[in-house]
Amino acid sequence: MLDKFRRLFKKDEQNKLDDKYIPIPKSEINEELKRKIIELEKLGEECSKVLQRKYENVFEIQGKHNLRIWICRDIDGDEIKGLTFEKCLEKEYRSQIAIDYDGPKFDDDFYADTIELWYYFGGYFEGSGTLYDLSKNDLETDIEETLQTLLR
């Protein structure tokens, strides 16, 4: 019975994730998309600053010190110093909102939580990407909901 419940929960979670992202085929990875990614990352930076100020005292009260919310960029999982959105059309580039703090966390992940903004994954010959869908979602609300979950 417990396994059925877990599968149902995972299916619901996957549907929620599917609703948040737009699949981008290789044929649509171009300079126009790059402009959208840059705008999305800038929006993410602004939301992160505002929400970090709003929630840092609430986290402190719960013993979760030094709340940090920022845009984290990596290529193939490697966080390269000085990596900017200029490299967003390189294969294996990923940008995400990273949320972290000092203190107890749900599990041993690298950060307390993340919200993926853009990920360009490549295969041997073809690549594609996923982009956070601003037309159906509100990034600030999603970050805030994640922060509230971390406070439970």
Side-chain angles (χ1 to χ4, degrees):
M1 180 68 175
L2 189 56
D3 279 344
K4 288 181 182 179
F5 182 70
R6 282 186 186 141
R7 282 193 298 267
L8 179 63
F9 178 74
K10 286 183 180 183
K11 186 176 181 180
D12 287 345
E13 281 296 311
Q14 188 60 45
N15 287 341
K16 286 180 187 176
L17 288 175
D18 290 345
D19 290 344
K20 290 199 181 291
Y21 297 95
I22 304 167
I24 308 290
K26 174 137 175 79
S27 62
E28 294 179 24
I29 296 175
N30 56 34
E31 290 300 313
E32 176 63 22
L33 176 64
K34 183 176 183 176
R35 186 185 59 74
K36 289 179 183 179
I37 295 166
I38 292 168
E39 289 174 9
L40 178 61
E41 288 187 13
K42 286 181 180 180
L43 175 65
E45 286 174 348
E46 290 303 313
C47 291
S48 296
K49 289 175 189 174
V50 168
L51 292 172
Q52 182 173 322
R53 283 191 297 268
K54 180 178 177 180
Y55 279 87
E56 59 192 352
N57 289 334
V58 180
F59 271 73
E60 284 285 332
I61 291 168
Q62 285 198 6
K64 299 173 179 180
H65 305 284
N66 301 316
L67 175 65
R68 297 170 306 280
I69 308 171
W70 73 101
I71 300 292
C72 175
R73 298 175 179 97
D74 66 72
I75 293 180
D76 199 22
D78 297 325
E79 290 184 31
I80 302 165
K81 188 174 176 118
L83 184 62
T84 68
F85 53 75
E86 290 299 323
K87 301 281 188 181
C88 68
L89 297 184
E90 284 191 26
K91 283 187 178 181
E92 303 305 329
Y93 174 95
R94 175 178 56 180
S95 62
Q96 54 191 347
I97 303 286
I99 303 170
D100 206 15
Y101 54 84
D102 301 333
K105 297 179 181 126
F106 291 122
D107 52 36
D108 292 330
D109 283 343
F110 199 67
Y111 302 122
D113 212 332
T114 59
I115 298 171
E116 197 165 290
L117 299 177
W118 163 247
Y119 181 42
Y120 180 22
F121 46 93
Y124 289 106
F125 303 106
E126 283 292 318
S128 61
T130 55
L131 182 67
Y132 181 88
D133 188 354
L134 281 173
S135 69
K136 293 181 183 176
N137 302 286
D138 183 298
L139 184 58
E140 185 172 1
T141 300
D142 283 346
I143 297 169
E144 195 155 16
E145 286 175 357
T146 301
L147 290 168
Q148 291 169 359
T149 299
L150 292 171
L151 287 168
R152 290 184 194 138

